[in-house]
Amino acid sequence: MGLTSETTVDVVAAVAVVCVALLVWVWPRLAKRGVRHVLGRLAAIGVTQITIIAAFACWLNSSYQFFGSWGELFGNVDTAPVGVTQAADHNGDGLTGVSVKGALVQPASDEQLNRVSGLPTGDPAVNGKVESVKVIGRRTGVVDPAFVYLPPQYFQKAYARQRFPVVVALSGYPGSIFNLAQYLRVSQTAGQLQKSGQMQPTIMVMIRPTIAPPRDTECVNVPGGPQTETFLAKDLPQALKSAYRVGHDASAWGVMGYSSGGTCALQLTMRNPHVYTTAAALSPDYRIKDDPTTGNLFGSGLDRVNRVNGHDLMWRLKHLPVPQVSVLVAESKHGERGYPQTLAFIRAVKAPMRVVSILPESGSHNFPTWVREMPAALKWMNQQLTFPQDVVPRHLHPKKGHSTVRAEGTGPKPTTSTRK
């Protein structure tokens, strides 16, 4: 039984119910004086409490996917064999044509995906498709689960050689790709916007920045520890480019997230403008600091101060050249604690960097608030990302001699970046 499966939750809940019933049944026998009976009562209460807590914890984990497997729960994180990307034929069928052995994107279990409501079904060329995969970092050796939304155009013959823009969506901490799909409604919202013509066909990649659970590594390359920034800024784009028809230029790449995932989105974009040129951050922080969940992120020695400053975005805006990127920040005026910091960040941004904001009057640090902000954030990102002009070379296309170039006047028109 998987840690997040409904069967596990039901079994643990059933054990808790049985323990409660047994406690009620045997209590009269234990209600006597003497060391044996006192110890018996304590043991019965302890076992019952443990099973009740375990049942609640299993239900909570199944709902929010804090830990995806028993191995993660006990700290046994899978490590991938580092290999060379295999050549792949891109035929518009997602992972079809990608060699599983040695590939940087591999099919994964659909267990979590099957529990997400509102995902596209039927013909992918009509409704699009969401795939459950695992991404393998060639440099870091990280194995991270992901959901990938492919728009209907990805499967249509007219777009068989066309590359697509990408938005990487990051969960907060503790969080998971299930939260992104089920509670933030990333693929569902993007699909609706694209279907109504408010967003160009875009590939949405839902992934968690927590690459070494249960530790919160934020988006930092920890000295002697997890290399989260390298995975998200180098390994992830390389893996996606090896498996999907995505744009190769940074102008086609954006990243978004909520809470610490929003913090990560800003960090990645401002620190790696050659990889991500657009970011949308919902309720982010503007600097990364150590806390009990992160441990020591920046190491020690003479370089510690430089590492800390390098992940303080206000410090970067004041002391370093400003990157040519576009960012969106969202924070509620009432109900969230980061509103003053958000205003300070907005005031600190200067050209050539651009910033826009979503500042609702009220809202809490939770999914209902972020879901309200998602459509506006995605539509804004759509205006910043350039629809790739590069196409898949004909020699990589399986139907040689068949012209699959998009017909004149059909499909999405290239979007010119509004970035100054």
Side-chain angles (χ1 to χ4, degrees):
M1 294 183 295
L3 178 60
T4 60
S5 70
E6 294 182 2
T7 302
T8 300
V9 176
D10 293 341
V11 169
V12 177
V15 171
V17 171
V18 170
C19 286
V20 171
L22 287 176
L23 177 64
V24 174
W25 178 261
V26 302
W27 191 259
R29 302 181 185 181
L30 299 175
K32 298 178 181 180
R33 295 181 179 179
V35 175
R36 284 180 53 197
H37 293 92
V38 171
L39 293 176
R41 290 196 293 272
L42 291 174
I45 293 173
V47 170
T48 303
Q49 292 295 318
I50 289 172
T51 56
I52 292 174
I53 292 173
F56 177 75
C58 283
W59 170 80
L60 192 66
N61 185 69
S62 179
S63 298
Y64 293 96
Q65 303 287 304
F66 298 134
F67 299 95
S69 66
W70 294 103
E72 284 187 8
L73 179 63
F74 294 107
N76 299 320
V77 181
D78 186 20
T79 58
V82 178
V84 178
T85 305
Q86 302 297 311
D89 289 332
H90 300 276
N91 57 12
D93 293 327
L95 293 178
T96 304
V98 178
S99 172
V100 173
K101 184 177 181 181
L104 299 183
V105 177
Q106 302 182 14
S109 169
D110 288 338
E111 180 181 323
Q112 294 186 60
L113 196 59
N114 291 337
R115 299 173 53 221
V116 178
S117 61
L119 295 182
T121 58
D123 186 357
V126 176
N127 302 313
K129 181 182 180 182
V130 178
E131 297 183 334
S132 177
V133 302
K134 57 182 178 180
V135 178
I136 301 172
R138 186 178 66 81
R139 297 169 183 81
T140 59
V142 169
V143 179
D144 211 19
F147 293 151
V148 179
Y149 165 77
L150 302 170
Q153 290 83 354
Y154 191 87
F155 302 94
Q156 296 171 6
K157 292 182 179 180
Y159 297 83
R161 293 181 57 224
Q162 179 66 59
R163 300 187 190 276
F164 292 80
V166 183
V167 171
V168 175
L170 302 173
S171 64
Y173 177 87
S176 69
I177 56 176
F178 180 81
N179 290 353
L180 290 166
Q182 176 66 15
Y183 299 111
L184 195 59
R185 317 294 286 176
V186 170
S187 57
Q188 297 91 323
T189 304
Q192 291 170 0
L193 291 174
Q194 294 176 34
K195 187 175 182 179
S196 63
Q198 300 179 73
M199 184 177 177
Q200 62 190 339
T202 303
I203 294 175
M204 307 294 298
V205 180
M206 292 158 272
I207 198 164
R208 61 181 187 180
T210 307
I211 65 171
R215 185 179 184 182
D216 178 14
T217 56
E218 298 286 333
C219 274
V220 176
N221 281 344
V222 181
Q227 303 293 289
T228 311
E229 183 175 13
T230 295
F231 174 74
L232 293 172
K234 295 183 178 180
D235 285 344
L236 177 61
Q238 180 186 28
L240 294 174
K241 290 173 184 177
S242 75
Y244 297 101
R245 301 196 313 276
V246 296
H248 285 195
D249 189 83
S251 64
W253 285 73
V255 57
M256 70 178 304
Y258 65 89
S259 191
S260 63
T263 304
C264 190
L266 289 178
Q267 293 277 340
L268 285 172
T269 303
M270 292 183 64
R271 290 172 57 86
N272 302 274
H274 59 288
V275 179
Y276 300 103
T277 56
T278 303
L282 312 182
S283 306
D285 291 322
Y286 301 95
R287 71 185 181 99
I288 293 175
K289 56 185 179 180
D290 294 341
D291 64 34
T293 65
T294 65
N296 184 353
L297 292 174
F298 304 107
S300 57
L302 298 177
D303 288 337
R304 175 178 170 81
V305 173
N306 291 334
R307 296 191 189 102
V308 172
N309 288 339
H311 289 277
D312 183 336
L313 299 186
M314 298 298 289
W315 184 93
R316 294 184 69 91
L317 288 171
K318 184 177 181 180
H319 295 93
L320 298 179
V322 177
Q324 187 173 344
V325 297
S326 297
V327 301
L328 176 149
V329 290
E331 192 84 21
S332 300
K333 297 179 181 179
H334 304 287
E336 294 191 271
R337 295 180 296 178
Y339 184 68
Q341 291 78 14
T342 296
L343 291 184
F345 176 80
I346 293 171
R347 288 193 293 265
V349 170
K350 53 191 174 183
M353 183 174 172
R354 298 182 62 218
V355 61
V356 298
S357 60
I358 299 175
L359 304 173
E361 282 295 325
S362 62
S364 300
H365 196 82
N366 56 26
F367 284 109
T369 297
W370 300 323
V371 167
R372 288 171 52 208
E373 298 166 346
M374 273 290 290
L378 286 176
K379 285 190 285 186
W380 174 83
M381 293 190 79
N382 167 77
Q383 296 170 0
Q384 314 311 310
L385 298 178
T386 302
F387 200 89
Q389 298 301 299
D390 53 333
V391 296
V392 177
R394 290 184 182 275
H395 72 276
L396 290 181
H397 194 270
K399 297 182 179 180
K400 295 180 179 179
H402 240 320
S403 176
T404 54
V405 179
R406 178 166 51 88
E408 183 70 24
T410 64
K413 297 180 179 179
T415 301
T416 303
S417 174
T418 59
R419 198 175 301 108
K420 294 182 180 178

